[in-house]
Amino acid sequence: MRKLLLSAASLTALALMACQPEATAPSTEVAVEKPTKTVETLTAAANAGTENSAPTVQEAKEFLEQAEKDIVEYSGYASKVYWVQANFITDDTNALAAMAGAEGAKLSTRLANEAKRFNDLSLPADMRRKMDGLKRGSNFPAPEKEGAAEELAKIMTDLEATYGTGKFDYDGETLTLGQASDIIATSRDPEELQAVWEGWRTISPPMKRDYSTMVEIVNEGSRELGYADTGALWRGGYDMDGEAFIKEADRLWGQVKPLYDQLHCNTRAALNEKYGDEVQTADGPIRADLLGNMWGQSWGNIYDLVAPKGGGEGVDVTALLEEKDYDQKKMVETAETFFTSLGFDPLPDTFWERSLITKPRDREVVCHASAWDLDDMDDIRIKMCTKINGEDFVTVHHELGHNFYQRAYKNQPVFYKDGANDGFHEAIGDMIALSITPEYLVKIGLLDEKDVPGEDADLALLMRKAMDKVAFLPFGLMVDQWRWKVFSGEYGPNDYNSGWWELREKYQGLEYPGEARPANAFDPGAKFHIPGNTPYMRYFLAHILQFQFHKAACDMAGFEGPLHQCSIYENEEVGRRFNAMMELGASKPWPDALEAFTGTRIMDGSAILEYFAPLMTYLEEQNADRSCGWDKPAE
Ligand code: X8Z
Ligand code: ZN
């Protein structure tokens, strides 16, 4: 949890961290119980509802100034509470986090309600934007009734802690998610894969009751803020009408689905060949435990099964990191160097002193990678249980992208200390990581010149990347399709699991292993962002945007070859223009920020299609005699 969501652009004025469960929001006891005189006066006047109480622009200005102070004061301590809890999960730190969360929830609710007083007042655009942001409250708003903020904050803290400490027994050992994920990534024994996949999902049934209570609470909070439900509140965070946003997401998915369908078809055929009809049929959905990832969200770990024949070797970054003896710190330093090569200042010493980059042996931490901004200025950090492999090499770039973005917009008012939209925040580091080409790896000494793959390896490089990036797209979309239906009531608690699998099949073409899921299964709870309460549409958008950014950057750099061969390493001009977009934070509607860097105001999937165009041709050839798609034939 942990953010006070404030702006029309899904601003999180309490942008303490990216990639984290979001809270309700902030304020100290003092701020909650003793609002300043100005605000008291305003509130009393608003309640009085007389003509005499019509607020002035000056009052609005004072209100915003006071709100900013309250938020800064709250987040200054709450961020430290959350950091300690996520780095040291105990009953005590959970209790502290829940207390901070409740205060935050009350603060955001109070500010949202007070901001309504200025609804009919004509305000300068910038003040209106701040006011609208405040009125959105938080992504998980508490209703005003007594005790609701406390109950909500406790549930949110408990859900996250249950996930963070989740373990299960397999083959005489107690496995953490990290250990289970290694088995899913490397094992090719379908029985073992199924057992470990099912084992991890035993951690989530106990979450279900709390989850449904939480849904009720935040829906009530959302209704008090004027939204039909919490899904509508989330969809309202994109500088456009919520209904228009649904259409926008559908449009983007429609652009990229043909590429996904081809990848799905080819991957299913490879799995069928590897495991036989008994395990993976040649038609229908793919068995979710066979894809090398606990959630079937990115498939790079089974690249070996789909490697184009005679298509060269590609580059195995995991092997290179091992060969060159990289440790976690060296991985992060390497990612930092990419940013500094673009002209960004190095990370502060405190980043290195305070970040957590290796899984501690002797205490419980939230291992899911995240990036934090503890003082909304320079105290930026990451927290991740980094593994020395290619996947986490990309993730450290992803996390530093959050940190460099946070620092770029640090001089904005607190209301605007956030991404242009949440997809932008997730796309920055990923865009940088798209520049990790073989030539770049040679420049930094990770790959020897003699091992640079020839042109014939392009397909291999593209296939590796597509197994991660293209495979992810429908997962990025379906997680919040599920949550939107949960918030709207279309999926009640009895439908949570069946609804999840309905969407897993519809969008991803996946199915669970085994005959049936247990009656008490709550499989959504086994994915961090559900108990961690982090909206997910941001990752879908980021997977579109990062290719759009990459293409714009390569155009700027004057690169003329195919997009997947372009690296912007050491290009300070691109860095300067990237920074110009980043330092806007959320101060402008996101199309303005997009235009500042790419020249267009529209999110567009054509860059990812261009990037993978040679692979698409290859996939279509491979699939020519296959029957693709996964719909069951009509009876
Ligand atoms: O959660 C993350 C980041 C932190 S914001 C590690 N990601 C999503 C996930 O792991 O499910 C990055 C890609 C998608
Ligand atoms: Zn992220």
Side-chain angles (χ1 to χ4, degrees):
M1 52 204 245
R2 299 77 226 235
K3 296 198 196 182
L4 173 54
L5 201 321
L6 292 175
S7 105
S10 107
L11 309 194
T12 52
L14 263 212
L16 307 178
M17 70 194 74
C19 316
Q20 274 296 295
E22 297 195 32
T24 33
S27 132
T28 63
E29 276 302 317
V30 176
V32 171
E33 291 177 1
K34 298 182 199 157
T36 66
K37 198 166 177 214
T38 313
V39 172
E40 261 176 349
T41 313
L42 289 173
T43 312
N47 291 341
T50 64
E51 276 195 19
N52 292 345
S53 74
T56 64
V57 174
Q58 178 59 26
E59 284 170 331
K61 185 168 167 286
E62 285 169 14
F63 165 70
L64 287 172
E65 281 167 6
Q66 187 59 46
E68 177 148 17
K69 279 190 198 143
D70 290 350
I71 293 164
V72 169
E73 184 182 355
Y74 168 78
S75 63
Y77 97 93
S79 61
K80 292 178 181 63
V81 172
Y82 293 135
W83 174 264
V84 173
Q85 183 254 353
N87 278 272
F88 183 50
I89 309 174
T90 67
D91 290 340
D92 298 327
T93 57
N94 287 345
L96 291 168
M99 281 159 73
E103 288 175 31
K106 287 181 190 168
L107 176 59
S108 68
T109 300
R110 174 173 70 80
L111 294 177
N113 285 325
E114 289 174 3
K116 285 183 193 160
R117 170 169 150 70
F118 303 98
N119 277 355
D120 299 329
L121 182 64
S122 169
L123 287 173
D126 184 60
M127 283 172 73
R128 177 49 61 203
R129 184 168 176 79
K130 289 175 179 168
M131 221 46 109
D132 286 348
L134 279 179
K135 282 195 307 187
R136 291 196 59 246
S138 104
N139 273 335
F140 292 85
E144 283 190 281
K145 72 180 181 206
E146 187 73 25
E150 285 77 5
E151 186 181 7
L152 174 62
K154 176 160 175 18
I155 289 178
M156 289 175 75
T157 308
D158 287 353
L159 285 171
E160 190 204 12
T162 303
Y163 184 94
T165 55
K167 289 179 199 65
F168 64 99
D169 291 334
Y170 170 69
D171 205 15
E173 266 187 80
T174 301
L175 299 186
T176 61
L177 174 60
Q179 293 164 321
S181 295
D182 286 343
I183 297 176
I184 297 280
T186 53
S187 172
R188 299 290 181 258
D189 170 354
E191 275 178 32
E192 177 170 64
L193 287 168
Q194 181 173 344
V196 172
W197 186 96
E198 289 175 348
W200 174 244
R201 282 157 181 77
T202 60
I203 67 136
S204 50
M207 299 172 185
K208 184 172 155 184
R209 181 194 286 260
D210 265 0
Y211 195 83
S212 69
T213 308
M214 186 196 78
V215 168
E216 281 169 28
I217 298 174
V218 294
N219 268 343
E220 194 179 331
S222 302
R223 284 193 293 271
E224 287 181 9
L225 292 173
Y227 293 87
D229 61 55
T230 305
L233 170 71
W234 291 9
R235 293 189 295 273
Y238 293 93
D239 292 310
M240 61 168 83
D241 177 74
E243 289 300 311
F245 181 68
I246 296 177
K247 293 209 178 77
E248 191 60 359
D250 285 349
R251 179 184 67 79
L252 293 168
W253 173 231
Q255 274 189 294
V256 296
K257 183 173 176 352
L259 176 57
Y260 178 76
D261 287 348
Q262 292 295 321
L263 189 75
H264 179 280
C265 194
N266 187 63
T267 307
R268 183 179 60 194
L271 290 168
N272 176 250
E273 195 178 316
K274 165 85 183 161
Y275 293 113
D277 290 343
E278 289 293 291
V279 174
Q280 176 61 60
T281 49
D283 55 12
I286 296 177
R287 222 178 90 164
D289 55 334
L290 305 178
L291 290 162
N293 173 278
M294 185 57 92
W295 307 277
Q297 67 181 64
S298 48
W299 308 343
N301 290 324
I302 59 156
Y303 169 76
D304 55 311
L305 301 184
V306 294
K309 291 201 179 60
E313 281 300 297
V315 176
D316 180 354
V317 176
T318 303
L320 297 179
L321 294 169
E322 279 164 11
E323 264 167 42
K324 303 277 171 188
D325 255 347
Y326 268 53
D327 61 9
Q328 285 85 349
K329 184 152 184 236
K330 185 89 191 281
M331 287 167 68
V332 182
E333 282 167 349
T334 307
E336 180 198 25
T337 305
F338 203 121
F339 283 90
T340 54
S341 89
L342 300 178
F344 289 89
D345 287 338
L347 293 164
D349 290 345
T350 49
F351 172 91
W352 300 103
E353 289 154 15
R354 298 172 186 173
S355 288
L356 177 107
I357 57 173
T358 309
K359 182 173 166 50
R361 260 180 289 191
D362 56 352
R363 64 178 203 266
E364 300 281 9
V365 302
V366 177
C367 266
H368 190 88
S370 55
W372 299 56
D373 181 359
L374 278 277
D375 63 354
D376 274 347
M377 289 309 268
D378 297 302
D379 190 354
I380 44 184
R381 315 174 190 176
I382 62 170
K383 181 180 64 57
M384 63 183 278
C385 303
T386 320
K387 293 180 185 168
I388 300 169
N389 62 32
E391 198 174 331
D392 272 2
F393 191 55
V394 171
T395 304
V396 295
H397 290 78
H398 176 97
E399 296 309 331
L400 289 197
H402 287 304
N403 277 162
F404 279 96
Y405 202 1
Q406 286 160 338
R407 200 171 52 178
Y409 57 60
K410 72 175 184 180
N411 292 323
Q412 290 287 350
V414 73
F415 305 102
Y416 299 149
K417 288 187 200 241
D418 201 358
N421 71 37
D422 54 7
F424 279 60
H425 227 303
E426 300 301 336
I428 302 292
D430 281 11
M431 175 273 212
I432 298 296
L434 289 179
S435 279
I436 304 178
T437 57
E439 290 67 31
Y440 162 75
L441 292 172
V442 171
K443 277 193 189 162
I444 62 165
L446 198 49
L447 181 67
D448 295 335
E449 184 87 56
K450 65 174 175 35
D451 296 327
V452 173
E455 288 265 321
D456 63 341
D458 265 23
L459 266 187
L461 291 166
L462 284 172
M463 181 67 96
R464 236 181 232 283
K465 205 119 298 136
M467 291 294 276
D468 282 331
K469 301 285 182 182
V470 177
F472 180 82
L473 290 161
F475 184 72
L477 195 65
M478 65 76 50
V479 173
D480 279 355
Q481 300 287 339
W482 180 82
R483 262 189 298 213
W484 292 352
K485 287 179 194 289
V486 166
F487 288 134
S488 76
E490 188 177 332
Y491 291 158
N494 291 338
D495 320 309
Y496 281 175
N497 218 50
S498 56
W500 177 257
W501 284 104
E502 184 176 283
L503 296 171
R504 293 272 267 170
E505 178 172 334
K506 175 177 172 189
Y507 287 101
Q508 291 183 278
L510 303 191
E511 66 184 359
Y512 50 75
E515 288 304 308
R517 298 295 297 134
N520 68 350
F522 180 50
D523 296 333
K527 172 67 195 164
F528 171 77
H529 302 69
I530 300 299
N533 287 312
T534 307
Y536 211 80
M537 193 57 80
R538 59 187 60 182
Y539 302 108
F540 173 72
L541 300 179
H543 277 67
I544 302 286
L545 283 169
Q546 62 188 266
F547 288 92
Q548 239 182 306
F549 293 161
H550 180 69
K551 179 173 164 53
C554 295
D555 285 350
M556 260 172 236
F559 184 82
E560 285 178 353
L563 268 187
H564 62 276
Q565 287 175 5
C566 165
S567 176
I568 57 157
Y569 183 58
E570 290 178 318
N571 192 319
E572 293 202 11
E573 174 57 14
V574 170
R576 196 186 58 69
R577 292 191 47 187
F578 204 36
N579 187 56
M581 175 182 85
M582 289 162 67
E583 66 188 10
L584 288 175
S587 62
K588 298 274 185 294
W590 65 259
D592 290 7
L594 186 62
E595 191 173 23
F597 188 62
T598 67
T600 169
R601 301 180 62 80
I602 297 169
M603 290 189 274
D604 181 13
S606 54
I608 185 170
L609 297 182
E610 180 183 334
Y611 187 100
F612 289 109
L615 182 75
M616 181 68 167
T617 307
Y618 166 83
L619 289 171
E620 281 170 343
E621 282 162 20
Q622 294 296 305
N623 294 330
D625 298 328
R626 295 174 182 147
S627 127
C628 294
W630 51 86
D631 283 345
K632 307 233 162 53
E635 307 252 312

